[in-house]
Amino acid sequence: MIRSIEEVRARVAAQKTLLPAFYGQVDFDHTPERFTEDASLAVATDRIPMGVAVTRDDLDRVRAYTMLGDQVADAYAALIPQYGFRRLIAMLTQACEQGAEAVQDAPPELAAFIADMEATPDWVDMDLVREGARLDRNATAHLAPFAIRGAFMATFLNKYSALPMALTGTLSNDTAAKRVNETATFFTTTVLPGALERHGEGFKAAAMVRLMHSMVRINALRSGQWDSRVYGVPIPQVDQMPAGLIPIFLMAFALIRKGRTTFTRDERAKVELARYRCFLLGLPEDLLADTPEGIVRIMTARNSTLRRGFDDATCGALIRATLDAYLPPDRSPANRLHDRIERRFAKAFFLRHFMEGDRVRARELGIEVTRLDEAVFVACALLVYGRMAAFRMAGQVPVLRDLTDAVLVRRVRGLLARYGHAEYTTDASKYRSAAATPAPAV
């Protein structure tokens, strides 16, 4: 359902009434500093990329969703003082696996949380979602293990959206490794066969991610260190768009550059997978367009209203901690070799895809991309994309399709074992001060 802008604003304002202990001090009528009407001050300065013009309605929606958390997950996370976070996780796990009715003395907030995720909207085509997951298994098995670190680093380029991670103590190498592996675990899990069905592994993982986000959100708000007039609401809906939609945004952007306005069926399947995955994470349909132009418009609206800002004590430290983190499960010779190769690939990947090749800027962040890094990147890319092409061609041969998919499923499960068990929790005792470099007043 596409809500009117008035309905969206009403949902935003309702947070103060529904959770006054946490949102009572937030001024939802105030536009936070992070949102700028002036695109020249934003992360993206072009609001008409390739002729696709962002509308006034797009800008108003992004402004509203900048102040919206996750009403059902926030309400459940707010029960931590009463139940403790381990009990909340145990109840949520059981509810995902057996249904909320199976949880003894379940609070109504749990039932509402699960019901929200179960309410699959009419616009979701589950057959396309399943096909999208099958198609994505190839890239997940071969490219993701090398690209995940670089992509994760890119989420820390803006101080307004990176601050929640800094507050949770993600500045240490060990914690950064845990967050990278948890992120990889979630997206990897969701491409397994049946993972996004009601009782699938991906459905449960999405619930855990939502609870973790809500715990971060609530701990930040009650810490007294969060300035909502500057940063808005912690982890708002618009900040979850890039992680969930960046692959299809890049695909949509490339199609429009070629003059295309529609997706093929395979492309549409990948879009549907991303949209449904985002729905399970709590994003509204308003932010989940299904055409190349619509996707480019809403992502551009977000990026062209997010004020530029880089704080080295927050953003730089997060980037360097992520780059320095040791991701493999142990320090065997094979894993140490993989770490060295993957880390070099990540630096070059980050430079090419998120720094537009600006070596000076990358160096300022503490990332020195050497010729050896570039050589390793090229060699790995040739190997990875060669494997992907081989599997893609094999998957198009009827007699090989099932066998090819079985091999990919086995490799994906192997990656999950490598990433380790995801806890999807946050420790409030590790929250650091938000005042490393105060943002200027508006």
Side-chain angles (χ1 to χ4, degrees):
M1 178 182 67
I2 303 295
R3 295 180 173 87
S4 69
I5 191 61
E6 290 75 18
E7 290 176 310
V8 177
R9 288 169 177 157
R11 288 190 71 202
V12 170
Q15 295 173 112
K16 187 183 289 284
T17 303
L18 295 172
L19 284 173
F22 300 108
Y23 289 110
Q25 300 303 312
V26 177
D27 182 0
F28 289 107
D29 293 325
H30 173 78
T31 299
E33 179 187 312
R34 63 164 281 165
F35 183 95
T36 176
E37 286 279 358
D38 186 350
S40 69
L41 302 177
V43 171
T45 59
D46 184 5
R47 287 190 179 151
I48 315 178
M50 296 177 299
V52 178
V54 172
T55 68
R56 182 70 251 175
D57 184 76
D58 294 331
L59 298 178
D60 289 342
R61 286 182 188 280
V62 168
R63 184 199 299 267
Y65 282 120
T66 295
M67 298 298 287
L68 183 67
D70 183 338
Q71 291 179 348
V72 294
D74 288 352
Y76 185 63
L79 300 177
I80 289 177
Q82 180 179 349
Y83 290 90
F85 77 89
R86 293 189 184 280
R87 176 61 179 150
L88 287 188
I89 291 173
M91 289 192 295
L92 182 58
T93 299
Q94 185 179 4
C96 287
E97 295 173 348
Q98 303 172 16
E101 64 280 1
V103 181
Q104 185 175 5
D105 300 322
E109 291 84 355
L110 174 61
F113 187 179
I114 293 298
D116 185 75
M117 295 185 65
E118 290 176 334
T120 305
D122 294 338
W123 52 262
V124 172
D125 184 332
M126 288 304 297
D127 287 335
L128 276 180
V129 171
R130 297 181 190 102
E131 179 63 7
R134 185 188 72 82
L135 293 170
D136 263 18
R137 284 196 274 275
N138 192 357
T140 300
H142 297 116
L143 178 60
F146 291 94
I148 184 65
R149 188 197 301 260
F152 199 76
M153 287 160 56
T155 64
F156 303 137
L157 288 172
N158 182 273
K159 69 178 181 181
Y160 297 100
S161 57
L163 183 58
M165 290 298 283
L167 282 174
T168 60
T170 314
L171 296 173
S172 71
N173 293 354
D174 290 343
T175 309
K178 176 185 175 189
R179 292 299 183 219
V180 172
N181 283 328
E182 284 183 341
T183 301
T185 293
F186 169 70
F187 285 101
T188 302
T189 298
T190 60
V191 303
L192 288 171
L196 293 178
E197 306 297 336
R198 167 57 187 87
H199 296 285
E201 300 163 81
F203 184 98
K204 180 169 68 175
M208 296 302 171
V209 169
R210 287 180 74 168
L211 178 57
M212 180 190 70
H213 285 166
S214 287
M215 289 193 295
V216 171
R217 193 177 292 119
I218 286 175
N219 282 327
L221 287 170
R222 73 180 182 182
S223 70
Q225 301 171 351
W226 185 269
D227 188 346
S228 62
R229 294 181 67 84
V230 173
Y231 298 101
V233 167
I235 317 181
Q237 296 297 324
V238 293
D239 280 359
Q240 298 186 64
M241 288 170 56
L245 299 179
I246 193 62
I248 65 170
F249 170 65
L250 295 175
M251 179 172 66
F253 207 89
L255 295 185
I256 291 175
R257 182 180 290 117
K258 295 176 182 178
R260 289 175 51 191
T261 58
T262 59
F263 293 115
T264 65
R265 180 171 175 78
D266 282 358
E267 291 165 348
R268 185 70 182 83
K270 293 181 180 181
V271 170
E272 198 71 358
L273 169 66
R275 296 176 80 216
Y276 182 59
R277 191 159 49 196
C278 286
F279 160 76
L280 290 180
L281 290 175
L283 272 74
E285 185 183 1
D286 312 36
L287 301 180
L288 304 176
D290 61 354
T291 65
E293 179 180 333
I295 292 168
V296 168
R297 272 184 30 235
I298 195 63
M299 284 292 289
T300 301
R302 186 264 183 185
N303 294 338
S304 66
T305 55
L306 177 62
R307 188 182 298 272
R308 285 195 307 273
F310 186 89
D311 171 10
D312 188 70
T314 298
C315 304
L318 286 168
I319 289 172
R320 291 186 290 273
T322 303
L323 181 60
D324 292 341
Y326 184 81
L327 302 182
D330 58 52
R331 294 187 177 274
S332 67
N335 276 332
R336 289 201 301 271
L337 176 61
H338 174 84
D339 174 72
R340 287 196 292 270
I341 294 173
E342 178 271 328
R343 200 188 301 265
R344 291 184 183 279
F345 183 98
K347 288 197 292 182
F349 181 85
F350 179 76
L351 175 68
R352 290 180 177 223
H353 291 276
F354 301 107
M355 300 301 296
E356 299 179 346
D358 189 340
R359 293 175 178 273
V360 174
R361 179 64 179 135
R363 194 175 299 117
E364 290 173 352
L365 303 181
I367 302 173
E368 183 72 39
V369 181
T370 67
R371 290 184 179 180
L372 180 57
D373 295 331
E374 291 280 9
V376 168
F377 173 83
V378 171
C380 285
L382 289 173
L383 179 62
V384 167
Y385 286 108
R387 285 180 176 175
M388 289 175 61
F391 272 84
R392 184 167 54 251
M393 288 187 290
Q396 294 171 351
V397 179
V399 296
L400 295 178
R401 175 170 168 161
D402 290 345
L403 176 61
T404 300
D405 193 50
V407 172
L408 288 174
V409 169
R410 186 165 62 249
R411 291 189 178 184
V412 168
R413 289 201 176 278
L415 285 176
L416 288 172
R418 182 179 182 84
Y419 295 145
H421 174 69
E423 298 178 357
Y424 299 121
T425 60
T426 179
D427 184 354
S429 67
K430 294 182 179 179
Y431 276 45
R432 63 189 289 272
S433 172
T437 302
V442 292

